[in-house]
Structure formats: structure tokens, C-alpha cells
Amino acid sequence: MPVSTSNPGADHVSRRTTRNLPPGPTPWRSWLLQGLFGLLLLALIGLLLSNLQVNLLRTGQGLGFGWLVQPAGFELSEHWLPYLPGDSYAWALLVGFVNSLRVVGLGLVASTLVGVVAGSASFSTNLLLRQLAFGYVAMVRNVPLLLQLLFWYFVVFLGLSSTPQVWLGGLLSLSNQGVEVLGQRWSVEFGALLAGLTLFTGAYIAEVVRGGITSVPRGQWEAARSLGLGDNVKALRLVVLPQALPAILPGLASQYINLAKNSTLAIAVGYADIYAVSDTTITQTGRAIEGFLVLLLSFLLLDLLISGLMQLLNRMVLRRR
Amino acid sequence: MVRLLKRLAAVSLVSLLGACAGGAPESMSRLDTVKERGELQCGVSGKLPGFSFLRTDGSYDGIDVDICRAVAAVVLGDSSAVDYRQLSAPERFTALRSGEIDLLSRNTTATLSRDSEGGNGLTFAPVVFYDGQGLMVRADSGIATMEDLEGRTVCVGSGTTTERNLSDAFLAAGVNYNALKFQEKDQVASAYLQGRCESITSDRSGLASMRSGFDDPSAHRILNAVLSKEPLAPATVAGDPRWSDAVRWTIYGLIAAEEFGITSANIQAMVNAAAADPNQAAMRRFLGVDGGLGTKLGLPDDFVVRAVSAVGNYGEIYDRHLGPGSDVPIPRDLNSGYRDGGLHYAPPFN
Amino acid sequence: MKLSITALRRQLFASPLDGLITLLLLACSGWLLALLGHWVLALANWKVVASNLPLYLMGLYPAAAYWRPLVLMACLVLLAVLTLLSPRLPRLAVFRWLQRLLPWLWLLALPLGFWLLSGGLGLDPVRTRQWGGLTLTLVVTAGSALLALPLGVLLALGRRSPYPLVHHSSSFYVELIRAVPLISVLFFGQLLIPLFLPSGWTIDRVLRAVLSFAFFAAAYVAEDVRGGLQALPPTQREAAHALGLSVVQTVGLVLLPQALRIALPALTNQLVGLVQNTSLLAILGAVELLGISRSILANPQFIGRYLEVYVWLGVLYWLICTTMTLIARQLEARLGAGAGSPSSG
């Protein structure tokens, strides 16, 4: 997350130098201009809000959040938290939020794995592996995620046979009724969303990782080899990647946030995430503005969670060095 | 930077003043808005054969579409002056309330909470299709009743009454099931065809329409169980009686035209006959020869003539899209006129 | 790029493990390719694509005026090919002229395209509601990119402004937009904006889509431009100041051109992202490329043919995005070559 200046009262001169913009006008003009700007901003917001009020009054609805405690009355196909149609809208939204958290959480881990492997593979001595890694990134990054998700769901996952096919000695079982990984049972909607998000974000993370590895001087590879870490994979894992980490982490953080935001496309494949639940809620209650605000708030919360997590990670990396 | 800001300030000030001055009077009806615009903005599904869908040549077709065309013919004198707006079920009411569309003609079930101010704040026009919610299963699945669906998965469109009816009906019957929701009907159909769910629920007409598109329609059966009443009606936003009356009487006009035996083929002859014969009092009022009925609604007096010339009477519309020779044949049953044992009945044009 | 047998062997079979990996990958990709080839040639039914081609390309555009979007698309393809070929063309005076003209031709394509699509000045007017398919995708992309760039630059300058109010409000806007998913911004733009307008006021639906994308993308553009500004050494500003340039001149002539050049690769990525993101309009019922395809899939004639449609769309999007990336790389190379004194920006 970009840092904004936290101290508005700091003296102008030093801030101007750090921001390398030319010096501004004299103080009184500065205040006058700012006052004008602020007034305009306020007037615009006021105008919009008064329009909103007029429009809402005309259709007989004010603003309010009383509907949150009314029973939702709709079914949710999957939920981590206990949920019945008789529960309140507020609870249904919370269930949707937790569903979002679940796909984002697993997506973070999986896409990082894919990204690191694909990013490292582009440094392989094996020509084919290298080209495949490039091909994967070039293909996935140039096709819309929504289209990829539709493909994963309607073509791949629903195209599976209805009798479970067991892979890897029972670790993975696939059918179009559900996916079982390591004993965990997922719906195919969840599986398709996770697969689509993981491969899409993985391609972007691969670029971030590649950039990070490129930033490590060539000499480090050679040093690792001379230390006896002859195997390329070993050199990468023990010497190069740890050094690339500080360059990788900021890029990783923004990709994680993108993943969280992209998870709202769940609505296209029938997974009950926070966007899908608030969409249904808005339709049933007619509370578009309020539902929209709830959605915004939950995303701000999700972003806070992820950036908090990344800061923690950053601190851990710095401490280890 | 200073000059940039100044310019910004000037631009915002001008736009602000413009915004203040441009506010239209509160009492303006949608009817006037539509006339002024010269175009009717009509929300349709666009993905439901028989009701509204996109033909290969890029035109929309179906019962819902013909309602839009009839209203445009009445209000604007041109049945093609319609801006069709495809809407998914969850967005349709927001689009109506925000003024994005003038008329919602998207196989929408009329219910209390949608009609009321405390709910979605709509006003429903007369029902154009009487439907009921049904369940479709594969013919070879051995499922014959709702109870057979215990523990199975049912696919359903989200943001619809269907979703709620399903929940209510299964709860009342004490049957446990999983609901899998999609935004669009074609997605529901795909998921069902691929075996993701054992059953699919929707309005029975919708199921028939969907089934007609399957490779082997006879491999799927619509169960006898009817979960709910589904009166499908166009809707306008509440609190605008002039506009909703115009839509209401246009639709009644289509229904009454069938009762009078007036079709798009004979309407001109009927008008001429009525104009020549002062004894046909009811017919003269209905066709706008005298009585000034249209004027009372803010419409031209010959509004019924315009509507029927453009799209035909209700029976013609039905036969064109859902009749035996159409892509989606559905028996008329409840949708016949009241004389034939159906529910369509237009109040008198007096 | 000629690979001898020995070099190839070194690249692919350096060690037994390497060899094993190579063979495994070869087998896997060969199998997938064979599967795909078999499907494309034998199993797929391309009628759903072929008989709806005008719909994919032009949506509900009146059939009598099909030539207009077609001419526009042909122009764009021609321009793209010329631009990509231009460094390889023989060094003749004609071609050198062409090279110099190309940027202006691209700029000219915008008003020309708008005129062709919307009509007027001798052409029958066509309302935006009739725009659709690929045409609409391109219009929304071009329109919002053009708006997002100046907006983003303003926001970036705002974030670095010495006025706390301007600085904080721009920061707030950028951070807020970057925190929320695009679909919610589009939801707001398509369905909620009318609630904030005085009654009787409307904004064209296509314009609303363009505005939503522009306001969304502007926040990301602002961050890229800010990154470019931050990368400039403070000496640039001091030098400009010493030359007696005014604030606006310093920003407009010295700092921005350099910052934009630094930010160019990031901005290219934003543009490619923008093309892909227009597909989200399909969720909100617009009939752009993906939206119209979903309508076509609902036609009983073509039900269940989604794999063909998705593959066709995937190829189309891929071609567009890849072409754009290549053109941008070329632009970067050309600007990078001229790096030194910023020309009149």
C-alpha cells in the first residue's frame, strides 16, 4: 500500500523537496485556492446527495438499514457458517463474506505456488520448460478473467463425468458433483473459481517473481555454484530467492489485493460470495444504495486484512535478514 | 499547477450552475419523458426464447418484446422506437427505480412486496402471461414427485421469486435439497444439462421454452407439481399514475381487441365500418372514433388501433411466439380469453 | 535464431533429469495439442460462430450500415500491421514518411471512427444503443483510455501537490478506488448514477460505461504516473527552476514527459487490462463482445455450443491484447531510443 504523508502540519519546504514539484504560490493564495477547491468539492457532493434524496423520496423509499435484521428467505448453495433461509440479511451477508475469505485465502496460497514455480521456470536451463513458462504467462494474461472462469466452470468442471475419478492415490477426486482434495470436499463452483483465479493471478505473480529474480546480481548464482550448491533449483531456493524476496513482496501485495477484488466474478459461476449475496439482497429489498455501501465496507475490510498480512510478512522477512 | 486548478475550478463551477438550472419540474411524468426522448427504454431478458431473445439477424423477438413495441407504437407512433436494455434478474428493479428504463417487460412475477412502497416500489401492469413454477428432471432419473428430490441439487436463477418459492415449497414439504444459483437462465440450463444438478426449477413456460432448445427435448420431463402462482406482468415505477395507466390500457387494449375479434389484418376495415356506422357505439369508443378515451390517458384517441396494427391482438401475439407452430409451443390454457375458460379479461373501455 | 542439433541437445537433455522433464513435458503438450486439434477439426461445430459473425463484430448495428464499423475495423487492422512492420520496411523515402505519419494516423482514427459509428455529416445517425459486440468493446476501451490518462495525470499531480486539501482528496480518491472491485464501480455507474442526477437528466448508457471505466482506471494510471514522477531526480526540477520556467511549464514540459516515458510499460499493462475488463459489462447486461455472445448462446439454435464460443472469444481477445502489447513495446523502444532531452511534450 502506498504511504501517504501522515502529518499534514509538516513544514512546506521539506515536503516540496521530497515531492520534487516546483514551489507553490504565496500562503494567502494557497489558502484561497484550497478554500475554493474545498467549497467546490463540498457543493458537488451536496448537490449529488440532495438529488439522491429527492429521487429516493419520489420512489417512496428513504435510506435505512432496518432491512438488515429481516429474514433473508433465500438459500445459499454453500456456506462455512451455519445458515438457514430464515436467518437475517445481515447474517447472509456475513456468510457471503466468509465464503469470499475462503476462496481468497486458498487462492493466495495456490497462486503464490503457481507464480513462484512459473516465475522460476523462466530461468531454467531447459529450453522447453522456459518456453512453456513464457507461453503460460503470455496466454493467460491476454484473455479476460471472466472468460477464463466461464471456461473453467462450464467446460472443464461441468464437463467432468458424474462418477468421481480418483487421482494421485486418493489425494484428488474429481467429478462434476464436487471436488475432493486431501479429504476436503469442495463444490465444483468453488473449484472452478479457485482454479481460474489461481492460474490468472499466478501468471501475474510469475512476472513479479521473474522481475525479483532478475534484480539479483548474476554473480550470486555463480557464487552459489562455487559454494557447491551446484543444482540450479537448489541455488535458486537457498540463495537467489531469499535475496529477491524484498523486491518481490510489494508486487505480491498488490497482486493479492487484485485477487481479492477479482473474486467478485464468482457471480458468473454460481458461487455465493459477498458480491453475489449482496446482489440478491439488493434485488429482494430494493435497497441498492445501502447494499452497495455494505459491499464497499466489506471490501475495505478485506483489503485491510490483506495489507495487514503483507506487512506482517514484510516485517518477518526484514527481521530474518 | 495554479492555472490548472483555476481551469478545473472554472469547469466545475460552470457544470455546477448547469446542473442547478437543469433540474426538471418534479411533476413530470415518464409519459412526457418518453415522448420528449422519442424512444422507449424497455428492459427485457434477451435470453428467453418465446418471451425475449436475440435473433441471428440482431433483432429482438418474443411476447415481452411485443409489449414494448405496442407501448412504443401507442406513445410514439413508431413500434421500432424502442431501446432494448438487456437486464439480468438481479438488476431489473434497480434499473427501473433509477430511471434507467421506462418499462420493465421481462417475465416478472407480480407480488405484494415488489408492488409495495416498502418493497421494490413498482406498479404492475395487467398480467400478460399466467404461469406457475415447475420442476424439470431427466426422464430417466426416476424422479416423479417433489419428495424424490430429497438430498438432491436443484438449479435456480438468482434474484427471482423462483428462488424464494423453491425455498418455501420445499420447507413446507419437509424436503432437504441444495440450491445452486446462477444469474442467467442459459447458465442454469447449461449446469443442468451437464449433470451438475438433478433438477431445474423455473416458471413452467420458461422450462418448456428451455426444453425446446435441448438436443433431445423428450429426454426431460416437467413434473406435475406446481410450486407457486406466477403471474408475469410488465412493471413501471410506482408513483407515476399517468405513465402506468398508459401502459395498463395499452395491454388491456390488446386483450380487448381479441375479445372484439379485431386483428391486425382486419383492423382498418373495422375502423372504417365503425366510422361509417353511428350505431356501433362501443366499437367507436374502443377504436377512438369518438369518446376521447385516449385523450383522458394522455394518449392519442386511436391508441388501440396503433397498438393492434403494430403487433396484433393478444391472441395473435401469443400464437406468433408460443402457439403450436412457434419455436416454443405452450398450450394456452389459463392464457385464453375469459370466454374460453382462461383468465384474460379486459375491463370495459368506457 | 538458428539452433544446431548439439545446442538443442544441451538445452533440452543436459542431464538425465532434464531429459526426463523434457520428455514428460513433450508428451503432455503433445497430448493436449492432439486433443485440441481433434476437437477443432472434427468435433466442434463452428456454425455458432460463422452464422453470427456480424453480431459478434457489430452487435445490433443496422445491417444497411455494416460497412461503417467494418471500414473502421479494417483501418485499425491496417494501422496495426503497418505499425508493427514499420521498423522492418525497406529504407525508402515513402516508408520513412509513413513512419513519421503513423502516430498522427492513429490519432486521426479516433474522430474518424466516432464519426463512422455515430453518423452525422452526411451519414445516417446511429444511436449508441445499436452499438455492440467487438465495436462496443473497442469504443469503450478507446474512450475510457483517452479520459483516464488526463484524469490519472491530474490525480498524480494532485497527490504530489503542496496543498494539503488537494493532496489528501486525491489520495483518498485513488486509495478508495483501488480498494474496491471493478464490478462494484460498474454497478454504480450503470445502475446507481441515475439516482444521483436531477430528475429528467440522463447520461447515455455507453457514456456511463466509458465514464465508469475511466474513473476506475484513472486511479491506477495515477499510481503509475506518480511512480514515474518519483523516479525523476530532484535536479530536474531545480534545473527547470534555474531556467526560469514557470510551475506549469516545469510540470508540463520537463517533469511529465519524462515521468510518462518511465511509466509507459505500466500504462500499457493498464490498457491491456482495460480491454479485458470491458468484458465485465456482460454481467451488467451490456451487449459488448462477451455480452452478445451470451445472448447468442441463449438462442435455442445454438444452446450448449459454449466451448466453440469461448474458444473463439479467447482467440479474439488474445489477438487484440497481444497486438496492443507489441505496438506498445515498439513505442517504448522508439521513445527509449530518443531518451535524452525531452522533446516538446
Side-chain angles (χ1 to χ4, degrees):
Chain A
M1 288 232 104
V3 187
S4 62
T5 28
S6 52
N7 186 0
D11 63 316
H12 277 216
V13 185
S14 72
R15 186 127 45 89
R16 250 182 253 138
T17 0
T18 52
R19 292 215 194 108
N20 83 42
L21 264 199
T26 47
W28 69 268
R29 268 181 78 190
S30 137
W31 288 114
L32 190 73
L33 276 169
Q34 286 193 65
L36 217 67
F37 180 79
L39 269 179
L40 271 172
L41 217 62
L42 275 181
L44 193 69
I45 293 171
L47 185 77
L48 292 179
L49 286 184
S50 83
N51 281 337
L52 175 69
Q53 203 189 2
V54 167
N55 285 329
L56 286 180
L57 278 180
R58 212 180 30 175
T59 48
Q61 270 193 341
L63 286 174
F65 286 89
W67 51 272
L68 273 174
V69 294
Q70 288 168 8
F74 53 78
E75 189 68 48
L76 289 177
S77 57
E78 61 183 307
H79 39 83
W80 252 13
L81 300 175
Y83 174 82
L84 287 171
D87 288 330
S88 66
Y89 282 114
W91 186 252
L93 287 164
L94 184 68
V95 169
F97 185 67
V98 172
N99 277 349
S100 284
L101 275 185
R102 185 179 175 205
V103 78
V104 171
L106 272 166
L108 289 188
V109 178
S111 60
T112 312
L113 285 177
V114 171
V116 170
V117 169
S120 313
S122 55
F123 291 92
S124 162
T125 47
N126 189 316
L127 177 75
L128 194 62
L129 195 60
R130 220 160 52 220
Q131 290 304 323
L132 276 179
F134 280 120
Y136 156 65
V137 171
M139 187 157 128
V140 166
R141 283 180 58 139
N142 285 317
V143 175
L145 173 61
L146 182 55
L147 190 61
Q148 293 186 35
L149 286 176
L150 292 175
F151 174 83
W152 279 107
Y153 184 63
F154 287 108
V155 178
V156 178
F157 275 84
L158 289 187
L160 296 168
S161 78
S162 53
T163 46
Q165 285 176 307
V166 181
W167 297 71
L168 305 172
L171 288 183
L172 182 67
S173 145
L174 296 171
S175 79
N176 70 2
Q177 300 302 307
V179 181
E180 228 177 288
V181 182
L182 307 172
Q184 284 246 10
R185 214 183 140 65
W186 299 337
S187 69
V188 283
E189 291 74 35
F190 182 80
L193 182 64
L194 187 63
L197 282 176
T198 297
L199 285 180
F200 186 77
T201 317
Y204 281 84
I205 291 183
E207 286 291 281
V208 171
V209 169
R210 208 165 63 86
I213 294 179
T214 320
S215 76
V216 176
R218 278 309 288 177
Q220 293 293 328
W221 291 88
E222 281 138 31
R225 283 198 199 100
S226 68
L227 274 175
L229 299 168
D231 198 1
N232 250 330
V233 180
K234 226 179 189 176
L236 186 74
R237 194 164 56 87
L238 295 178
V239 178
V240 180
L241 262 186
Q243 293 190 59
L245 218 46
I248 289 174
L249 279 180
L252 215 52
S254 69
Q255 289 312 324
Y256 285 169
I257 294 202
N258 282 345
L259 174 85
K261 287 185 288 189
N262 285 335
S263 72
T264 45
L265 297 186
I267 191 164
V269 296
Y271 180 70
D273 80 323
I274 177 72
Y275 184 80
V277 175
S278 57
D279 206 48
T280 310
T281 303
I282 287 173
T283 317
Q284 292 207 352
T285 59
R287 300 286 185 174
I289 302 275
E290 296 92 326
F292 183 74
L293 283 178
V294 169
L295 184 68
L296 283 195
L297 274 181
S298 48
F299 262 87
L300 292 181
L301 190 66
L302 196 57
D303 286 353
L304 270 180
L305 273 177
I306 293 178
S307 23
L309 197 80
M310 287 313 285
Q311 257 166 24
L312 209 74
L313 217 74
N314 228 334
R315 219 170 296 152
M316 271 164 54
V317 169
L318 287 181
R319 197 176 303 154
R320 246 187 35 192
R321 303 190 81 208
Chain B
M1 196 61 212
V2 180
R3 227 176 289 165
L4 264 177
L5 270 181
K6 271 186 201 154
R7 210 164 296 160
L8 186 76
V11 167
S12 341
L13 197 67
V14 168
S15 58
L16 204 70
L17 288 175
C20 293
E26 265 316 291
S27 57
M28 194 158 155
S29 165
R30 264 285 136 177
L31 183 59
D32 304 314
T33 316
V34 174
K35 281 182 186 165
E36 207 170 276
R37 194 195 298 130
E39 189 174 69
L40 174 74
Q41 290 176 339
C42 206
V44 296
S45 150
K47 296 189 175 72
L48 193 61
F51 289 83
S52 63
F53 79 107
L54 194 58
R55 288 204 172 281
T56 317
D57 66 4
S59 62
Y60 283 100
D61 198 19
I63 282 196
D64 286 346
V65 171
D66 275 350
I67 298 298
C68 301
R69 282 159 38 95
V71 172
V74 163
V75 177
L76 303 166
D78 177 5
S79 66
S80 66
V82 187
D83 174 4
Y84 296 101
R85 171 86 151 102
Q86 282 201 24
L87 290 170
S88 67
E91 288 140 24
R92 53 187 162 176
F93 304 129
T94 319
L96 195 58
R97 275 181 33 132
S98 67
E100 170 73 22
I101 53 172
D102 308 314
L103 174 64
L104 180 72
S105 182
R106 192 200 176 283
N107 53 295
T108 301
T109 309
T111 67
L112 185 148
S113 58
R114 286 174 175 179
D115 195 27
S116 57
E117 287 208 337
N120 292 99
L122 309 182
T123 295
F124 281 101
V127 173
V128 296
F129 192 91
Y130 288 97
D131 210 336
Q133 185 174 336
L135 289 158
M136 182 158 66
V137 296
R138 280 163 202 283
D140 60 8
S141 64
I143 298 171
T145 63
M146 236 168 78
E147 282 70 25
D148 295 340
L149 282 165
E150 172 75 37
R152 313 284 187 110
T153 303
V154 181
C155 281
V156 57
S158 72
T160 60
T161 45
T162 321
E163 194 181 339
R164 211 162 198 165
N165 293 333
L166 181 73
S167 169
D168 291 353
F170 276 65
L171 199 64
V175 179
N176 290 311
Y177 72 108
N178 296 314
L180 190 58
K181 292 190 272 191
F182 296 92
Q183 253 202 322
E184 301 284 357
K185 280 233 166 66
D186 60 312
Q187 295 178 327
V188 178
S190 294
Y192 167 73
L193 281 179
Q194 300 240 37
R196 173 65 183 96
C197 36
E198 282 84 0
S199 175
I200 183 171
T201 186
S202 184
D203 301 340
R204 288 165 70 89
S205 65
L207 292 177
S209 152
M210 208 179 263
R211 184 171 61 172
S212 69
F214 292 173
D215 284 340
D216 179 12
S218 63
H220 305 273
R221 200 172 61 220
I222 297 174
L223 298 185
N224 287 328
V226 177
L227 308 187
S228 68
K229 292 188 279 193
E230 302 287 337
L232 306 183
T236 52
V237 78
D240 189 349
R242 283 185 65 210
W243 175 231
S244 36
D245 283 350
V247 173
R248 170 174 304 118
W249 286 95
T250 301
I251 295 171
Y252 278 143
L254 298 175
I255 294 171
E258 190 183 13
E259 293 170 3
F260 280 120
I262 301 174
T263 65
S264 55
N266 69 11
I267 187 153
Q268 215 45 55
M270 297 294 251
V271 172
N272 294 341
D277 182 1
N279 294 330
Q280 298 186 15
M283 192 62 95
R284 282 169 73 96
R285 273 198 308 276
F286 183 61
L287 295 176
V289 178
D290 51 34
L293 290 182
T295 314
K296 291 179 184 165
L297 290 168
L299 296 175
D301 282 335
D302 65 343
F303 72 98
V304 175
V305 180
R306 289 179 176 211
V308 175
S309 312
V311 297
N313 66 35
Y314 178 80
E316 289 180 82
I317 298 176
Y318 191 99
D319 284 343
R320 196 157 58 234
H321 304 297
L322 303 173
S326 67
D327 286 345
V328 191
I330 299 174
R332 253 187 102 167
D333 299 337
L334 286 180
N335 289 296
S336 310
Y338 71 101
R339 291 201 193 98
D340 303 324
L343 294 174
H344 288 292
Y345 179 101
F349 277 66
N350 277 334
Chain C
M1 277 292 281
K2 218 169 148 191
L3 284 170
S4 66
I5 301 285
T6 42
L8 207 60
R9 221 171 97 188
R10 201 172 56 239
Q11 289 272 5
L12 294 175
F13 299 96
S15 67
L17 183 69
D18 237 12
L20 197 68
I21 291 176
T22 303
L23 285 180
L24 214 71
L25 287 177
L26 265 180
C28 272
S29 30
W31 178 66
L32 276 176
L33 276 179
L35 221 62
L36 186 71
H38 179 62
W39 178 78
V40 167
L41 296 174
L43 299 176
N45 179 353
W46 294 106
K47 199 170 159 262
V48 62
V49 174
S51 57
N52 291 305
L53 212 52
L55 283 182
Y56 290 110
L57 295 183
M58 290 160 289
L60 311 181
Y61 212 78
Y66 270 169
W67 64 271
R68 282 151 60 174
L70 284 177
V71 164
L72 174 65
M73 276 184 257
C75 281
L76 289 179
V77 170
L78 189 72
L79 266 178
V81 170
L82 273 179
T83 312
L84 288 179
L85 283 183
S86 70
R88 306 226 176 102
L89 290 175
R91 297 200 153 271
L92 290 174
V94 190
F95 290 126
R96 228 169 298 154
W97 257 94
L98 191 72
Q99 269 184 30
R100 216 163 298 158
L101 268 178
L102 271 176
W104 301 109
L105 287 178
W106 275 109
L107 277 182
L108 193 70
L110 287 162
L112 183 81
F114 190 75
W115 170 63
L116 270 176
L117 289 182
S118 59
L121 298 176
L123 289 177
D124 284 340
V126 174
R127 313 284 301 269
T128 54
R129 66 172 156 101
Q130 290 174 302
W131 302 6
L134 183 60
T135 314
L136 186 61
T137 297
L138 292 178
V139 166
V140 171
T141 308
S144 42
L146 272 184
L147 275 175
L149 189 65
L151 263 174
V153 167
L154 272 184
L155 281 169
L157 292 176
R159 280 196 90 164
R160 297 170 65 80
S161 151
Y163 308 129
L165 189 65
V166 178
H167 161 71
H168 284 293
S169 43
S170 338
S171 295
F172 175 76
Y173 176 83
V174 171
E175 294 304 324
L176 179 72
I177 293 289
R178 281 163 50 90
V180 300
L182 171 59
I183 181 81
S184 63
V185 175
L186 290 179
F187 180 87
F188 187 86
Q190 291 294 293
L191 299 166
L192 299 187
I193 279 188
L195 284 175
F196 288 89
L197 293 177
S199 64
W201 273 49
T202 49
I203 303 180
D204 182 86
R205 190 199 317 160
V206 172
L207 185 61
R208 275 211 307 277
V210 167
L211 286 177
S212 322
F213 278 112
F215 281 112
F216 181 78
Y220 290 81
V221 169
E223 278 305 278
D224 294 337
V225 174
R226 193 171 74 118
L229 283 172
Q230 259 163 354
L232 295 179
T235 45
Q236 289 289 332
R237 180 187 58 79
E238 287 155 21
H241 191 57
L243 280 172
L245 294 184
S246 76
V247 179
V248 178
Q249 282 172 324
T250 309
V251 172
L253 299 180
V254 180
L255 300 182
L256 262 186
Q258 299 187 67
L260 284 179
R261 198 167 54 207
I262 297 173
L264 192 61
L267 290 177
T268 313
N269 287 341
Q270 298 293 353
L271 187 63
V272 172
L274 196 58
V275 179
Q276 298 182 14
N277 282 338
T278 55
S279 64
L280 261 65
L281 281 175
I283 295 185
L284 295 172
V287 284
E288 47 63 73
L289 189 50
L290 184 59
I292 199 106
S293 309
R294 284 168 71 173
S295 278
I296 291 169
L297 281 171
N299 187 331
Q301 261 182 288
F302 307 113
I303 217 155
R305 293 258 81 102
Y306 36 83
L307 184 52
E308 285 87 345
V309 173
Y310 292 164
V311 167
W312 149 246
L313 289 187
V315 170
L316 207 56
Y317 275 113
W318 188 86
L319 277 176
I320 294 169
C321 294
T322 308
T323 313
M324 276 169 42
T325 313
L326 288 178
I327 290 177
R329 294 283 168 271
Q330 206 178 325
L331 187 68
E332 281 163 31
R334 198 181 292 178
L335 287 181
S341 64
S343 55
S344 61

